Amino acid sequence: MDSQTTDFEQTLQPGQLLARGVCRHLRSLDFVCVEELVPTRGLRVDVMALGPKGEIWVVECKSSRADFQSDHKWQGYLDWCDRFFWAVDGDFPTELLPDETGLILADAYDAEIVRMGPEAKLAAARRKVMVQKFARTAAIRLQALRDPTSGLGRSG
């Protein structure tokens, strides 16, 4: 581990480090992100990003071939976003990823969109639900940082 690695970074899993780089890059594109958001029971996306025009992107971070091959739920995420992306590091065998999905190359510090995910616009009612989930999840997490006992175990 290089001398610039922090103690906090040592506690993060490889996929979480990828998510951090993805979120940093998307912020530079005026998106805001929430990690590990649950759009519906049984699904948990690695990164949900909300764009300046209300667009919703989902990014699944895969740190290895095995991580990708064990993900049998990813197609269920397509119903909850306008665009879907995989985020992987430079060593990942990208030929495994479906061509009809977006691709982001990332590391712990930044990312680059290599292939834009195709757009499939959400219906207005579903978009409203997702924006509300996004906002509630972000607000609950922010409040918990300031007052860890305020949430009392409840989530968005």
Side-chain angles (χ1 to χ4, degrees), residues 18 29 35 83 120 135:
L18 289 174
L29 300 176
E35 294 180 39
R83 293 184 194 270

Side-chain angles (χ1 to χ4, degrees), residues 71-147:
D71 187 341
H72 303 291
K73 294 183 179 182
W74 74 268
Q75 290 178 318
Y77 304 146
L78 301 176
D79 293 336
W80 301 96
C81 61
D82 297 309
R83 293 184 194 270
F84 177 84
F85 297 84
W86 298 104
V88 298
D89 68 19
D91 294 329
F92 188 93
T94 57
E95 64 276 2
L96 296 176
L97 303 173
D99 290 334
E100 66 277 6
T101 57
L103 174 60
I104 298 173
L105 289 182
D107 62 24
Y109 302 99
D110 202 1
E112 176 185 358
I113 297 174
V114 175
R115 180 175 65 230
M116 185 63 69
E119 186 174 54
K121 288 220 177 246
L122 288 174
R126 176 141 308 169
R127 181 178 312 283
K128 180 180 177 183
V129 167
M130 292 314 302
V131 170
Q132 287 175 331
K133 282 184 184 244
F134 187 99
R136 285 189 51 80
T137 300
I140 288 167
R141 290 179 186 174
L142 181 60
Q143 186 175 2
L145 287 174
R146 173 83 41 112
D147 183 2

Side-chain angles (χ1 to χ4, degrees), residues 18-107:
L18 289 174
R20 184 177 73 178
V22 166
C23 293
R24 284 180 174 183
H25 180 70
L26 291 177
R27 186 68 194 110
S28 76
L29 300 176
D30 203 18
F31 280 74
V32 291
C33 299
V34 171
E35 294 180 39
E36 298 184 6
L37 188 136
V38 177
T40 191
R41 184 180 216 122
L43 296 179
R44 182 195 50 79
V45 301
D46 292 332
V47 175
M48 182 165 281
L50 180 63
K53 297 177 183 173
E55 58 269 47
I56 296 173
W57 292 2
V58 165
V59 183
E60 276 301 291
C61 300
K62 296 300 171 192
S63 59
S64 68
R65 174 189 296 261
D67 186 16
F68 170 72
Q69 290 176 328
S70 67
D71 187 341
H72 303 291
K73 294 183 179 182
W74 74 268
Q75 290 178 318
Y77 304 146
L78 301 176
D79 293 336
W80 301 96
C81 61
D82 297 309
R83 293 184 194 270
F84 177 84
F85 297 84
W86 298 104
V88 298
D89 68 19
D91 294 329
F92 188 93
T94 57
E95 64 276 2
L96 296 176
L97 303 173
D99 290 334
E100 66 277 6
T101 57
L103 174 60
I104 298 173
L105 289 182
D107 62 24

